[in-house]
Amino acid sequence: MTEISIRQPDDWHAHLRIGSLSESVIDLFNVYGRVVCMGNLADPIDNLHKIISYRSNILSSVDFLPIIGAMLTKNSTLEKWIKITNLLYGRVFIKYLPEGVTTNSESGIAWPELENYYPILELAQDRRIPFLIHAEIDRDLKTGELIPEIAREKAAVPYVEKLARDFPELIINIEHVSTRAMVDLIMTHDNLSGSISPNHLAHRYEDVFDEQGNLFNVHKYFKPVAKAKYDQAAIIAAALSGDKKFFFASDSAPHYQADKEKFQKAGAFNALTNLTYLCEFFAEHNALEKFEPFVSESGARRYGFPLNDRTIKFRRETWTVSLIYRGIVPDLAGRIMKWKVIE
């Protein structure tokens, strides 16, 4: 087989940034029908005015439908979210970044304080608004000690499980799932699903950190961090399973090379290679029939959207990923890819 066509995919988690950085990458997302645009900017997108402004800026230069992942922050109130959902239902999801776990999460809410915002989650449950979770915890809540980055998602499992039990009808998605423990939890609760980033299929912990846990490859540093073989195998199995609970979301998160290297910022810019990498991934596992459901169907069905009408085509053709793209180091830079999007 040298060419395949699939239904137009969606990207259910992407960081489009703002300003010149956004302008450098946003056109790459026009291959998708819908993109969930994350709102964890330096000034978090967490109220109606900011959501409308950010969404309007995106709409002015793209072909896809932007859905804003608006932040649940310490400034959030039930009244604000009623206004948001009344005006933008179907165009906004709720994104939960626990305080301190990743880029621009300073205004996030600590796990123990989340119960104070349960009225907002009750609204989301009643109105079928997806609740997207970056499921990590960075400190032991009893001792205050930092939890190693590789262990932070597993440490969040009890908190996610409590939330799933407290809100049995809430659409809860674990973003960029990266551990066997979280996959196992998702499988035990009907209201849980998990999006999978190519980051966690392509990279392992030892590609990023040395034996002492020191970061040595900042361009493969993203959060949750890449995991060891045991956990990566579970993510690969989930992606290949065909289970509708698991679907594609890129978590593409660009930084200019200078900023990435100087400040060791977390985030991988994988927008150049996502779909071609995944086509190659499924082909090499003799599972090309599961490629289209993973990228184009399961996520839309999970969130209650119709499937896209357009198709896109891939050709078996080699090409080399750029070492630098508009000032950004791409994920898989220098790698020879085996498939290419041609239309």
Side-chain angles (χ1 to χ4, degrees), residues 32-82:
Y32 301 107
R34 290 166 286 244
V35 177
V36 176
C37 312
M38 290 301 153
N40 58 319
L41 306 179
D43 181 15
I45 307 299
D46 64 352
N47 64 41
L48 183 59
H49 172 74
K50 292 179 184 178
I51 294 169
I52 292 173
S53 177
Y54 189 44
R55 189 167 184 272
S56 296
N57 287 340
I58 295 169
L59 276 169
S60 67
S61 58
V62 300
D63 298 329
F64 60 80
L65 174 69
I67 300 168
I68 304 302
M71 308 307 296
L72 186 69
T73 69
K74 297 180 180 74
N75 296 321
S76 298
T77 66
L78 178 60
E79 291 72 21
K80 289 180 180 179
W81 270 100
I82 289 173

Side-chain angles (χ1 to χ4, degrees), residues 196 200-201 231-241 281 285:
I196 294 176
H200 295 108
L201 300 173
D231 284 310
Q232 187 194 43
I235 306 307
I236 291 172
L240 293 171
S241 69
F281 169 83
H285 285 88

Side-chain angles (χ1 to χ4, degrees), residues 101 149 152 199 203 207-209 215-226 253 255 260 263-269 331:
V101 300
E149 290 197 79
R152 291 178 182 179
N199 295 340
H203 305 299
D207 298 329
V208 192
F209 298 89
L215 176 66
F216 71 84
N217 190 340
V218 72
H219 294 293
K220 293 183 181 179
Y221 178 49
F222 42 80
K223 295 187 179 183
V225 297
H255 298 284
K260 178 81 167 160
F263 301 108
Q264 297 190 333
K265 290 187 173 184
F269 170 54
D331 188 42

Side-chain angles (χ1 to χ4, degrees), residues 111-260:
W111 281 103
E113 298 170 8
L114 187 58
E115 289 189 13
N116 297 331
Y117 299 83
Y118 269 18
I120 297 173
L121 300 193
E122 289 168 2
L123 174 74
Q125 181 170 248
D126 292 343
R127 298 195 178 182
R128 306 293 292 167
I129 303 165
F131 187 60
L132 316 180
I133 303 177
H134 182 122
E136 291 191 289
I137 185 167
D138 65 337
R139 291 182 182 273
D140 186 300
L141 297 179
K142 294 181 179 178
T143 67
E145 294 182 0
L146 278 174
I147 297 171
E149 290 197 79
I150 195 172
R152 291 178 182 179
E153 181 174 290
K154 186 175 181 179
V157 164
Y159 298 93
V160 175
E161 185 169 21
K162 180 181 185 303
L163 190 67
R165 290 176 175 171
D166 289 348
F167 293 93
E169 301 300 322
L170 180 61
I171 300 170
I172 302 172
N173 190 68
I174 308 306
E175 304 285 274
H176 37 55
V177 60
S178 67
T179 59
R180 185 178 297 272
M182 194 63 76
V183 168
D184 290 345
L185 179 67
I186 289 168
M187 294 303 298
T188 62
H189 290 272
D190 290 341
N191 57 336
L192 294 181
S193 57
S195 57
I196 294 176
S197 166
N199 295 340
H200 295 108
L201 300 173
H203 305 299
R204 288 189 189 168
Y205 184 80
E206 55 266 33
D207 298 329
V208 192
F209 298 89
D210 65 20
E211 293 180 357
Q212 288 72 45
N214 300 309
L215 176 66
F216 71 84
N217 190 340
V218 72
H219 294 293
K220 293 183 181 179
Y221 178 49
F222 42 80
K223 295 187 179 183
V225 297
K227 299 301 191 290
K229 183 178 180 179
Y230 173 81
D231 284 310
Q232 187 194 43
I235 306 307
I236 291 172
L240 293 171
S241 69
D243 194 304
K244 294 178 181 178
K245 279 178 167 283
F246 300 100
F247 51 87
F248 162 70
S250 73
D251 192 26
S252 186
H255 298 284
Y256 286 124
Q257 180 180 11
D259 291 337
K260 178 81 167 160

